[in-house]
């Protein structure tokens, strides 16, 4: 079989900022797809897609894994890689919205997913810096302390090993703290790359730099179109956060960006734990050693995609950490995208209103490494026709009117506003002359709305700002140098190429000389 090797240059990701993980890229031996009906096509080469493909290949299925860029290009290459048994949606919130039995199930699923990551690292002798750590959650005012007490009670009731702690693991003042035992961290790209290598050893097929342009279901077979072929499979799994097209997921999940700094300290006060404050949005801490150098990773300042000010978010994060730590150098700064689910829990399973045997996994909130792994376990069982005790709770078809809904209405209202108002009331600009080097903006040019970007040499690129998914207007992200859609999180690079679905088509390129 003819093989092609990805060259070993730095790992690519979906933004201009460099994440701390990208320096340790490795090549993968890939092979061409065969002209046959595969058992499963998995679209998306992040932790969800790769783990799912591996588990199904292990189970004897023939899988084709399709990735638009390189494995780890998306959120998995930009995560801060915390492995937790407590989640952004807290156990008291799950108790209130789904009931205490659901909380126990979520707790069990988290413990199972974390153990399973550990099991895979052992089974395949994966060197991915996996380490168990204590996880601390701490309050800083009366209201947070009351919430912390509720979290302690609900987490314990759900079966999570947690206790009050005298410390919070970081040099940040606090009122009360909880210690969650046996949390963990790892290097996400080393981990998924090793899983991908095992998938290939088991004769799985991986196509990188292959964009799934569309799919149809005919005579019980999925036909997935790419630039130079139509691939066939009995089952189709979208591990791309948002599945393509207009789906229910567009109305149940809202896209957010989270910011991370990787920095060195003037002293040696690197945290030997995972730690989280309770502010909104919260901040999180941990350390990681890369190429013999220790870094403190601090993250947070999340905001809805396409709406906040990325530069200001980085500034706030830097100011926050400098308040408590003697920063020597900020070596890395990057942001990454995740999806917040309307009722707090991820959607994993059969795609509602989709063709037969079409599956989706999305809405992980900030817990993608955990829920991505859990999704792989659930989807494997569903494809194999086995019962999985978590299927019903995480079903994308669940109908759950919950307290969080009113909050989500705001998200949807935001999306609706962008559908209409952005198209007609953006500030009109008469020429490109007002753009500085490195700046991008939606302007009016010859009567058309145009997304303009001027590079450092003064070259201007002109694109249609109309998102090819559902017609919202994209906004410029000056930090990641991308065009981000506020409606469902679609993102495009400076040349208009799709970086992040659900859009499947690139932005239209305008010829400025035409
Ligand atoms: Fe849906 Fe842009 S991602 S309209």
């Amino acid at each position: 079989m003819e093989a092609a090797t990805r060259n070993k240059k730095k790992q690519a990701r979906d933004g201009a900022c460099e994440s701390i993980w990208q320096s340790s890229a490795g090549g993968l031996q890939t092979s061409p797809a065969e002209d046959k009906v595969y058992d499963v096509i998995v679209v998306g080469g992040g932790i969800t897609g790769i783990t799912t493909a591996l588990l199904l290949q292990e189970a004897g299925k023939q899988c084709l894994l399709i990735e638009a860029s390189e494995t780890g290009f998306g959120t998995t290459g930009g995560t801060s890689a915390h492995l937790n048994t407590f989640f952004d949606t807290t156990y008291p919130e799950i108790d209130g919205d789904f009931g205490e039995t659901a909380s126990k199930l979520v707790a069990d699923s988290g413990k199972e997913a974390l153990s399973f990551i550990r099991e895979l690292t052992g089974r395949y002798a994966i060197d991915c810096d996996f380490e168990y750590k204590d996880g601390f959650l701490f309050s800083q005012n009366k209201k947070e302390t009351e919430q912390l007490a509720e979290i302690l009670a609900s987490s314990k009731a759900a079966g999570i090993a947690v206790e009050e702690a005298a410390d919070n693991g970081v040099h940040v003042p606090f009122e009360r703290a909880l210690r969650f035992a046996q949390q963990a961290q790892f290097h996400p790209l080393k981990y998924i790359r090793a899983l991908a290598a095992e998938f290939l050893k088991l004769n799985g097929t991986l196509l990188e730099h292959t964009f799934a342009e569309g799919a149809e279901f005919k005579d019980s077979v999925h036909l997935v179109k790419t630039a130079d072929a139509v691939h066939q499979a009995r089952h189709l799994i979208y591990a791309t956060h948002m599945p393509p097209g207009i789906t229910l997921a567009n109305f149940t999940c809202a896209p957010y960006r989270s910011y991370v700094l990787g920095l060195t300290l003037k002293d040696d006060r690197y945290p030997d734990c995972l730690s989280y404050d309770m502010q909104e949005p919260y901040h999180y801490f941990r350390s990681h050693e890369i190429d013999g150098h220790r870094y403190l990773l601090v993250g947070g300042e999340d905001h809805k995609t396409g709406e906040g000010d990325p530069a200001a978010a980085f500034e706030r994060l830097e100011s926050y950490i400098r308040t408590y730590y003697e920063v020597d150098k900020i070596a890395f700064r990057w942001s990454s995208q995740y999806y917040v689910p309307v009722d707090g829990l991820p959607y994993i399973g059969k795609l509602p209103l989709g063709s037969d045997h079409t599956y989706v996994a999305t809405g992980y909130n900030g817990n993608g490494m955990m829920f991505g792994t859990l999704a792989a376990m659930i989807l494997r069982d569903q494809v194999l026709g086995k019962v999985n005790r978590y299927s019903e709770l995480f079903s994308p078809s669940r109908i759950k009117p919950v307290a969080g809904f009113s909050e989500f209405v705001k998200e949807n209202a935001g999306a609706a506003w962008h559908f209409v108002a952005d198209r007609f009331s953006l500030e009109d600009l008469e020429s490109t002359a007002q753009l500085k080097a490195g700046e991008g903006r939606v302007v009016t040019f010859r009567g058309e709305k145009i997304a303009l970007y001027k590079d450092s040499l003064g070259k201007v690129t002109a694109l249609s700002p109309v998102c090819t998914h559902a017609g919202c207007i994209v906004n410029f992200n000056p930090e990641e140098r991308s065009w981000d859609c506020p409606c469902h999180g679609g993102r495009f690079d400076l040349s208009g190429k799709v970086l992040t679905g659900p859009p499947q088509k690139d932005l239209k390129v305008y010829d400025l000389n035409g």
Side-chain angles (χ1 to χ4, degrees):
M1 189 180 283
E2 187 189 336
T5 308
R6 185 212 303 167
N7 71 32
K8 292 194 177 183
K9 63 180 175 18
K10 191 169 284 183
Q11 164 84 32
R13 68 175 285 268
D14 62 356
C17 298
E18 184 182 337
S19 90
I20 197 168
W21 318 119
Q22 286 172 266
S23 58
S24 55
L28 283 172
Q29 292 282 337
T30 60
S31 55
E34 293 175 47
D35 183 16
K36 68 178 185 184
V37 179
Y38 284 86
D39 293 314
V40 187
I41 289 178
V42 179
V43 182
I47 191 167
T48 304
I50 291 175
T51 314
T52 305
L54 173 61
L55 298 190
L56 285 165
Q57 197 75 21
E58 281 180 338
K61 296 291 178 191
Q62 287 297 304
C63 300
L64 170 61
L65 175 58
I66 297 176
E67 162 56 44
S69 180
E70 296 175 4
T71 49
F73 179 76
T75 302
T76 304
T79 177
S80 54
H82 292 233
L83 305 176
N84 303 110
T85 55
F86 62 101
F87 304 105
D88 287 2
T89 301
T90 63
Y91 288 109
E93 288 169 332
I94 302 170
D95 284 351
D97 291 339
F98 291 85
E100 290 178 16
T101 304
S103 280
K104 287 193 180 73
L105 264 183
V106 173
D108 286 354
S109 74
K111 287 186 278 188
E112 224 172 279
L114 209 160
S115 298
F116 193 62
I117 290 172
R118 186 59 181 146
E119 187 186 322
L120 287 177
T121 61
R123 185 187 306 169
Y124 293 118
I126 298 173
D127 176 10
C128 62
D129 314 338
F130 181 99
E131 285 182 88
Y132 282 113
K133 298 280 181 190
D134 284 337
F136 294 96
L137 179 67
F138 61 90
S139 65
Q140 295 174 294
N141 57 46
K142 185 166 173 280
K143 185 174 161 225
E144 289 175 2
T145 296
E146 285 167 7
Q147 287 170 348
L148 201 69
E150 290 172 14
I151 290 171
L152 175 62
S154 288
S155 303
K156 271 187 169 172
I160 294 295
V162 56
E163 61 184 7
E164 281 230 47
D167 188 20
N168 67 350
V170 288
H171 293 270
V172 178
F174 69 103
E175 275 195 7
R176 304 286 282 273
L178 302 181
R179 186 182 73 88
F180 293 80
Q182 294 278 96
Q183 309 298 292
Q185 63 181 45
F186 67 178
H187 187 306
L189 291 185
K190 286 186 183 174
Y191 176 72
I192 63 157
R193 209 173 290 126
L195 295 189
E198 296 301 329
F199 168 69
L200 294 169
K201 274 190 219 163
L202 290 170
N203 289 324
T205 306
L206 166 64
L207 296 180
E208 293 186 307
H209 304 289
T210 303
F211 192 79
E213 295 173 357
E216 65 173 311
F217 189 65
K218 216 170 159 185
D219 301 330
S220 302
V221 173
H222 292 278
L223 305 172
V224 178
K225 188 174 177 321
T226 63
D228 47 20
V230 176
H231 302 289
Q232 305 171 65
R234 292 187 185 84
H235 300 266
L236 175 59
I237 296 173
Y238 286 113
T240 51
H241 294 286
M242 286 290 108
I246 309 291
T247 67
L248 200 59
N250 298 143
F251 303 96
T252 55
C253 295
Y256 276 75
R257 291 202 77 74
S258 188
Y259 295 80
V260 191
L261 299 177
L263 49 96
T264 54
L265 299 176
K266 288 181 181 160
D267 50 31
D268 199 31
R269 301 198 301 172
Y270 294 90
D272 185 27
C273 64
L274 313 176
S275 192
Y276 312 81
D277 72 16
M278 296 176 68
Q279 297 179 18
E280 289 189 12
Y282 69 84
H283 302 92
Y284 45 90
F285 303 78
R286 78 173 182 88
S287 299
H288 205 104
E289 193 172 306
I290 302 277
D291 298 331
H293 300 287
R294 194 136 196 84
Y295 296 96
L296 187 157
L297 304 188
V298 58
E301 298 298 339
D302 306 9
H303 65 73
K304 196 160 178 290
T305 295
E307 289 189 352
D309 178 343
F314 276 128
E315 274 168 30
R316 284 195 300 274
L317 192 53
E318 183 174 341
S319 157
Y320 173 84
I321 196 67
R322 284 188 188 278
T323 305
Y324 305 112
Y325 282 88
E326 288 286 322
V327 175
D328 178 32
K329 188 178 158 205
I330 294 178
F332 298 93
R333 49 183 245 155
W334 74 96
S335 66
S336 196
Q337 183 156 301
Y338 64 95
Y339 287 83
V340 176
V342 59
D343 63 12
L345 294 182
Y347 299 97
I348 301 165
K350 191 172 178 303
L351 180 67
L353 308 175
S355 322
D356 277 359
H357 308 295
T358 307
Y359 307 85
V360 67
T362 188
Y364 296 161
N365 229 322
N367 308 111
M369 298 299 97
M370 297 298 299
F371 287 131
T373 303
L374 178 68
M377 298 159 80
I378 292 174
L379 295 176
R380 171 198 56 192
D381 289 350
Q382 291 184 350
V383 168
L384 296 177
K386 290 185 178 172
V387 173
N388 183 296
R389 69 190 187 111
Y390 306 120
S391 285
E392 193 181 336
L393 180 61
F394 295 113
S395 167
S397 301
R398 66 178 179 260
I399 296 171
K400 194 75 195 162
V402 294
F405 184 72
S406 58
E407 191 57 34
F408 198 76
V409 167
K410 283 188 221 153
E411 306 293 353
N412 260 357
W417 186 87
H418 283 287
F419 265 114
V420 181
D422 268 8
R423 303 187 75 163
F424 299 108
S425 63
L426 281 172
E427 180 188 6
D428 288 347
L429 299 174
E430 292 304 319
S431 74
T432 65
Q434 295 176 48
L435 279 182
K436 299 190 200 85
E439 194 180 357
R441 198 182 307 143
V442 175
V443 302
T444 297
F445 188 82
R446 296 181 188 169
E448 292 276 343
K449 295 278 188 225
I450 302 184
L452 286 179
Y453 172 74
K454 187 183 273 184
D455 71 14
S456 57
L457 299 175
K459 182 170 178 287
V460 174
T461 312
L463 306 165
S464 165
V466 180
C467 178
T468 56
H469 175 232
C472 294
I473 300 295
V474 296
N475 286 326
F476 187 63
N477 179 334
E479 293 295 329
E480 298 291 1
R481 292 206 289 282
S482 58
W483 294 98
D484 297 355
C485 181
C487 286
H488 314 109
R491 297 177 60 242
F492 304 85
D493 72 12
L494 295 176
S495 65
K497 194 165 173 302
V498 174
L499 283 173
T500 306
Q504 288 182 292
K505 286 199 170 67
D506 299 341
L507 293 178
K508 181 178 166 190
V509 181
Y510 284 122
D511 181 359
L512 280 179
N513 299 318

